[in-house]
Amino acid sequence: MMESSVSVCPVPSEQQPINEYQELKNSWFFSWATLEWGSYSRKMAWIWGWSWLLAGPVAAASFPPQKAVGQFMLCGGAIASLFMVLVLLRLYLGWCYVRDRLTNSTVFYEESGWYDGQCWNKPPEIIMRDRLIVTYQVQPILQRLNKTFALLALIFCLGSLIWVFL
C-alpha cells in the first residue's frame, strides 16, 4: 500500500502551511477578518471607538472642544483611525504570510532550531489543494482588508477636505 504525500511530509505539523492557515483562521484576533460583514464592521467600529480613549485627549490638547469642535472631531477621528490602520495592518500581514506559505511550491521549515533550516518540495496534489485554499478562502479575506484600507483612505481624504473649509 502506498503512503500519501501528506503522511510522508517531513515538515513539523505546526510549520505546515495548511496547519498555519487553520491556526490563523481559528485564532481570536485573525478570525475577525473571516467574520460576516456585519460582525466584521462592528469589530472595526469597536476598535475605532475605543481608540478615541487615547485620541480624544490628544486632540483636545491641540484643539479645545469648546472652541474648535470641528477640528477636535476631525483630529480625534484621524488619530483613532491610525490605531485602526495598525490593527488592519497586523491582520493583513498575518494573512499575507499564510497566503505566501500556501502559494509557494517549496516549504521552508526548521527541524529543531533557527540553525537547521530545510526545504521541502510540495507534491502536485498538495500544491493544488493549497492554491485552491488561497483562491477561495484567503484571497477574499485579503480583498476585504484592502477594501477596508481603501475606505479608511477615502474617509481620511474627505476629512482633509472638510478641514480645509473649517
Side-chain angles (χ1 to χ4, degrees), residues 106-127:
T106 303
V107 177
F108 178 80
Y109 66 98
E110 298 168 351
E111 288 181 311
S112 60
W114 61 268
Y115 50 85
D116 64 348
Q118 303 288 326
C119 286
W120 175 65
N121 291 321
K122 295 179 191 176
E125 64 269 12
I126 301 294
I127 293 172

Side-chain angles (χ1 to χ4, degrees), residues 7 11 15-16 19 35 47 57 67 76 94 107 110 114 132 157:
S7 62
V11 180
Q15 294 181 46
Q16 292 178 15
N19 294 336
L35 298 172
I47 289 168
K67 296 179 183 177
V107 177
E110 298 168 351
W114 61 268
L132 283 170
C157 289

Side-chain angles (χ1 to χ4, degrees), residues 86-152:
L86 293 175
V87 168
L88 287 169
L89 186 61
R90 181 64 191 114
L91 283 170
Y92 189 81
L93 291 174
W95 283 104
C96 278
Y97 172 77
V98 165
R99 179 203 57 199
D100 294 345
R101 295 274 291 169
L102 287 166
T103 304
N104 288 338
S105 58
T106 303
V107 177
F108 178 80
Y109 66 98
E110 298 168 351
E111 288 181 311
S112 60
W114 61 268
Y115 50 85
D116 64 348
Q118 303 288 326
C119 286
W120 175 65
N121 291 321
K122 295 179 191 176
E125 64 269 12
I126 301 294
I127 293 172
M128 186 177 300
R129 179 203 65 194
D130 288 355
R131 291 188 179 162
L132 283 170
I133 290 169
V134 167
T135 301
Y136 293 104
Q137 300 293 320
V138 179
Q139 277 307 119
I141 291 167
L142 291 172
Q143 288 170 351
R144 170 184 282 182
L145 294 170
N146 282 332
K147 287 177 185 176
T148 307
F149 277 121
L151 179 64
L152 276 174

Side-chain angles (χ1 to χ4, degrees), residues 17-110:
I18 186 73
N19 294 336
E20 290 173 328
Y21 162 71
Q22 288 295 337
E23 186 177 325
L24 204 66
K25 191 171 108 176
N26 295 330
S27 76
W28 171 78
F29 177 68
F30 288 98
S31 68
W32 290 4
T34 66
L35 298 172
E36 294 294 323
W37 264 106
S39 298
Y40 171 75
S41 299
R42 280 191 296 281
K43 291 274 189 194
M44 294 299 114
W46 181 81
I47 289 168
W48 187 78
W50 279 101
S51 296
W52 264 91
L53 288 176
L54 294 172
V58 172
S62 300
F63 303 100
Q66 309 87 327
K67 296 179 183 177
V69 176
Q71 284 93 346
F72 167 74
M73 295 298 289
L74 288 171
C75 183
I79 294 169
S81 295
L82 288 177
F83 289 111
M84 202 164 126
V85 166
L86 293 175
V87 168
L88 287 169
L89 186 61
R90 181 64 191 114
L91 283 170
Y92 189 81
L93 291 174
W95 283 104
C96 278
Y97 172 77
V98 165
R99 179 203 57 199
D100 294 345
R101 295 274 291 169
L102 287 166
T103 304
N104 288 338
S105 58
T106 303
V107 177
F108 178 80
Y109 66 98
E110 298 168 351

